[in-house]
Amino acid sequence: MHFDVFKLNSNHILVSIAIMYAFIVGEGFYGFGHDYYATYYKSNIAWGKWHDQLGYQIATLTILDIHLGIYITSFILALTSGLLIKDHLRAKGIFSLPLFFLIFVIVIHTWPVIMSTSNAMRQGIAMSFLFVSTIFFARRKPGYFILILLFASFCHKSVLIFFPIILVSYFLSHISKNILFHLIMGLVAFILSLVSIPDLIVISDHKSMIVGESRIISGDYRLPFLIFALAFIILGTLKPGNIYKGYNIFIFYFSFIFPAFYFAGLNWQFERIGMVMLIPYILSFGSFLTKNMDRIYLCSTFITLLVMTFYTGMYASLK
């Protein structure tokens, strides 16, 4: 029997780290977030509307008085983050076990992941499924990423934003490879989003989250998020061949729609969506670099993000 040692080792490391991470987080080594003490500590709740209930059920799953939800959420977050990183490294041709291990361990301790293990848990679950859907997007398997997104739609309403962007970007990428076409469609998407997004947000139960300067982190990351979006559009325009690699065309169209939340004054939504997309953004930027530069870029960028996670007090907020 033939064994793929390369594949076996990387998968073994991935799953082992994900299990250890879930145990460490679930046992409270880092502490738990505000949302955990406010809501997610409860057992087997199914609150909200149809796009929330499954997320609550997974996050608060309790069997025999054992709160499994936080272990499951942490495991899914770590596993899918590792799969996304591994997929990028292999597609770029720079995969090695030491590099993968280093980046993987750093990433699962940065803001988007650690703050989703016990704080924004339902969003974290949805983010995990989004990571997997982008992998299937990159492999041009629409049936799989549509099925996964449909499932994720019952976990958190943020998926209702990503779902149409992924579908439309996939469809448009098969219509034309002309960058001018995609620039025009991107601008149209921005204008339509700017006009329609405020009306699509349901504010009846969450008005306080939409109005004002509400933020989910101690620092203000709105400007960096805007720079990410603009930079990706510029890079995609200057190097149009790259936007058809992996899931870059999805990031390209997302970069047009994402700023509409900011300009519409939806700060809370803007930062939450930015949190979900930060890791895919960083990985996608690496696809524009040479192999050696990508190695340096990924390590330095994720280390910087880890430092910023500590600097902004996110770990200190876990109790």
Side-chain angles (χ1 to χ4, degrees):
M1 181 181 294
H2 173 70
F3 288 94
D4 187 342
V5 178
F6 168 78
K7 185 176 181 180
L8 178 64
N9 287 342
S10 62
N11 288 339
H12 180 264
I13 290 175
L14 173 60
V15 175
S16 298
I17 293 177
I19 292 173
M20 288 188 290
Y21 182 76
F23 180 79
I24 291 171
V25 172
E27 290 299 305
F29 180 80
Y30 299 121
F32 303 117
H34 173 270
D35 289 357
Y36 178 81
Y37 292 109
T39 301
Y40 294 121
Y41 76 94
K42 299 177 181 180
S43 301
N44 301 317
I45 61 177
W47 292 354
K49 300 180 181 179
W50 64 269
H51 48 62
D52 294 313
Q53 291 184 0
L54 181 59
Y56 277 118
Q57 290 171 343
I58 295 174
T60 64
L61 178 64
T62 304
I63 299 176
L64 299 178
D65 292 328
I66 300 175
H67 194 296
L68 298 175
I70 193 165
Y71 295 94
I72 294 172
T73 302
S74 301
F75 174 77
I76 294 174
L77 279 163
L79 182 68
T80 56
S81 297
L83 289 172
L84 189 65
I85 294 165
K86 179 181 173 182
D87 193 70
H88 171 82
L89 296 178
R90 297 188 72 171
K92 190 71 176 182
I94 59 173
F95 185 93
S96 69
L97 288 177
L99 180 63
F100 170 68
F101 177 82
L102 174 64
I103 296 175
F104 182 28
V105 172
I106 291 173
V107 166
I108 59 178
H109 289 89
T110 60
W111 161 42
V113 179
I114 194 64
M115 295 305 289
S116 298
T117 56
S118 65
N119 208 38
M121 291 180 71
R122 289 183 301 110
Q123 176 183 294
I125 294 168
M127 180 175 73
S128 297
F129 289 121
L130 179 65
F131 287 175
V132 178
S133 69
T134 57
I135 293 174
F136 284 117
F137 185 103
R139 297 177 181 178
R140 303 299 184 264
K141 294 183 178 181
Y144 287 99
F145 72 69
I146 290 174
L147 184 63
I148 291 170
L149 288 173
L150 283 173
F151 182 81
S153 298
F154 294 96
C155 296
H156 194 265
K157 56 180 170 286
S158 63
V159 179
L160 303 180
I161 297 169
F162 297 111
F163 206 154
I165 301 175
I166 290 181
L167 285 177
V168 172
S169 61
Y170 187 84
F171 174 72
L172 292 178
S173 68
H174 286 75
I175 290 180
S176 175
K177 302 295 184 182
N178 188 310
I179 188 59
L180 181 60
F181 168 81
H182 293 295
L183 281 172
I184 294 173
M185 296 304 296
L187 289 171
V188 171
F190 170 73
I191 295 171
L192 291 176
S193 299
L194 192 61
V195 173
S196 62
I197 280 176
D199 295 327
L200 295 176
I201 299 293
V202 178
I203 65 174
S204 58
D205 296 326
H206 305 283
K207 188 174 182 179
S208 62
M209 295 181 177
I210 292 175
V211 180
E213 295 296 320
S214 177
R215 297 190 180 90
I216 57 170
I217 52 178
S218 58
D220 187 350
Y221 282 6
R222 291 177 299 172
L223 181 58
F225 285 149
L226 284 175
I227 293 174
F228 282 174
L230 180 60
F232 201 88
I233 292 172
I234 293 174
L235 278 175
T237 303
L238 295 178
K239 295 185 176 182
N242 283 53
I243 68 169
Y244 307 111
K245 295 180 179 179
Y247 50 86
N248 285 353
I249 190 68
F250 158 56
I251 303 291
F252 186 77
Y253 276 100
F254 173 80
S255 298
F256 280 97
I257 297 171
F258 181 40
F261 287 86
Y262 172 79
F263 291 112
L266 302 175
N267 296 316
W268 185 85
Q269 286 84 355
F270 183 69
E271 292 198 341
R272 280 287 181 125
I273 293 170
M275 175 182 176
V276 170
M277 290 298 294
L278 185 55
I279 294 173
Y281 250 128
I282 292 173
L283 293 173
S284 287
F285 274 118
S287 67
F288 290 88
L289 304 174
T290 62
K291 292 183 178 181
N292 288 333
M293 285 299 297
D294 194 20
R295 292 187 184 96
I296 297 171
Y297 157 77
L298 290 176
C299 291
S300 60
T301 301
F302 283 123
I303 288 173
T304 300
L305 181 59
L306 178 63
V307 171
M308 291 301 296
T309 302
F310 279 97
Y311 178 75
T312 54
M314 295 180 196
Y315 275 93
S317 70
L318 302 177
K319 305 298 182 183

